[in-house]
């Protein structure tokens, strides 16, 4: 009877496939440690992959690895900046209509005058593009797209002409007298000048 009583747990263990209590705890501990190691390795691999992606993106854009990319205004934010406003230039201006995105521009130099008509658009990556076909008395061009990129630096918005223009202050907070946005006026403030220039350009020789 004594020997049978001592062997019973071993027989039950063999029949049921259940390990002794101490062995079960050790195996659970091993499985837990293995899972933790596996999770650590997966996290490390994920960080390495993200780092490699960022490095590749920076290299593709010509920036040094590790460069922090400044966020860009959304398309909605850019629309609020440009819609129904006139951008005053040195020898002309451009009006950005709100509803149909119509765009009209004109320039007037000492000996030349030109006008352009087309449309404007904004993109989700912070660009405002003007699609215009310029014409003068002796020249009629095809529609051409000119884009300006924008980025956010702190509380300031900077702008540059694509593809490789220099960044400069567009709209800063607090405002700065040199901000390019100081040259924007609400409404179609130079519409009369556009019409005068258009009639001059389109007049028969």
């Amino acid at each position: 009877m004594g020997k049978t009583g001592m062997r019973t747990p071993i027989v039950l263990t063999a029949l049921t496939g259940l390990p002794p209590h101490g062995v079960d705890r050790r195996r659970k501990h091993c499985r837990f440690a293995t899972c933790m190691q596996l999770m650590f390795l997966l996290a490390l691999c994920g960080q390495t992959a993200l780092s490699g992606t960022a490095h590749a993106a920076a290299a593709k854009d010509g920036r040094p690895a590790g460069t922090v990319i400044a966020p860009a205004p959304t398309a909605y934010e850019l629309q609020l900046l440009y819609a129904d406003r006139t951008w005053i230039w040195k020898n002309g201006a451009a009006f950005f209509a709100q509803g149909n995105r119509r765009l009209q521009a004109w320039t007037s130099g000492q000996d030349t005058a030109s006008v352009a008509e087309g449309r404007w658009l904004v993109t989700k990556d912070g660009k405002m593009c003007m699609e215009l076909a310029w014409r003068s008395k002796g020249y009629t061009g095809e529609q051409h797209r000119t884009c300006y990129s924008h980025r956010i630096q702190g509380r300031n918005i900077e702008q540059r002409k694509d593809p490789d223009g220099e960044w400069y202050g567009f709209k800063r907070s607090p405002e700065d007298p040199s901000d390019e946005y100081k040259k924007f006026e609400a409404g179609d403030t130079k519409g009369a000048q556009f019409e005068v220039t258009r009639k001059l350009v389109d007049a028969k020789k």
Side-chain angles (χ1 to χ4, degrees):
M1 289 293 294
K3 290 183 179 181
T4 304
M6 290 178 62
R7 293 177 59 184
T8 300
I10 301 176
V11 172
L12 289 176
T13 300
L15 291 176
T16 59
L18 295 175
H21 182 65
V23 175
D24 184 50
R25 291 184 60 185
R26 286 195 298 273
R27 289 183 178 176
K28 286 183 178 179
H29 177 75
C30 291
R31 285 198 297 270
F32 177 77
T34 303
C35 287
M36 292 301 294
Q37 291 176 357
L38 185 59
M39 290 175 64
F40 174 76
L41 289 174
L42 288 173
L44 185 61
C45 290
Q47 290 179 355
T48 303
L50 289 174
S51 176
T53 302
H55 179 86
K60 185 177 181 180
D61 290 342
R63 293 185 298 268
T67 301
V68 178
I69 302 175
T74 65
Y76 176 73
E77 290 169 337
L78 283 179
Q79 179 181 338
L80 294 178
L81 289 173
Y82 285 92
D84 195 31
R85 284 175 169 78
T86 299
W87 190 359
I88 308 300
W89 299 336
K90 184 177 180 180
N91 295 315
F95 172 64
F96 301 80
Q98 184 168 9
N100 54 10
R101 298 287 178 90
R102 176 175 53 88
L103 178 60
Q104 293 180 326
W106 61 273
T107 62
S108 180
Q110 292 182 351
D111 303 318
T112 61
S114 59
V115 295
E117 297 176 86
R119 62 189 291 268
W120 65 282
L121 57 94
V122 292
T123 68
K124 62 182 180 180
D125 58 346
K127 295 180 185 292
M128 186 284 295
C129 298
M130 302 185 295
E131 296 180 340
L132 290 170
W134 286 92
R135 67 183 188 273
S136 63
K137 275 197 170 183
Y139 169 80
T140 300
E142 297 181 354
Q143 191 175 72
H144 178 73
R145 174 179 285 196
T146 302
C147 294
Y148 291 83
S149 289
H150 303 75
R151 69 181 182 184
I152 300 174
Q153 296 279 28
R155 299 174 61 186
N156 306 322
I157 299 177
E158 295 182 344
Q159 181 190 66
R160 75 170 182 179
K161 186 176 181 179
D162 289 347
D164 54 3
E166 295 289 334
W167 289 102
Y168 51 84
F170 181 70
K171 192 176 190 300
R172 284 171 278 198
S173 181
E175 293 181 350
D176 189 279
S178 64
D179 285 353
E180 187 66 22
Y181 203 66
K182 285 286 188 178
K183 301 175 184 177
F184 281 71
E185 298 176 352
D188 187 6
T189 60
K190 303 298 180 183
Q193 288 89 329
F194 171 81
E195 287 300 326
V196 169
T197 308
R198 183 183 64 79
K199 290 178 181 178
L200 179 64
V201 169
D202 294 341
K204 292 183 180 180
K205 294 181 180 180

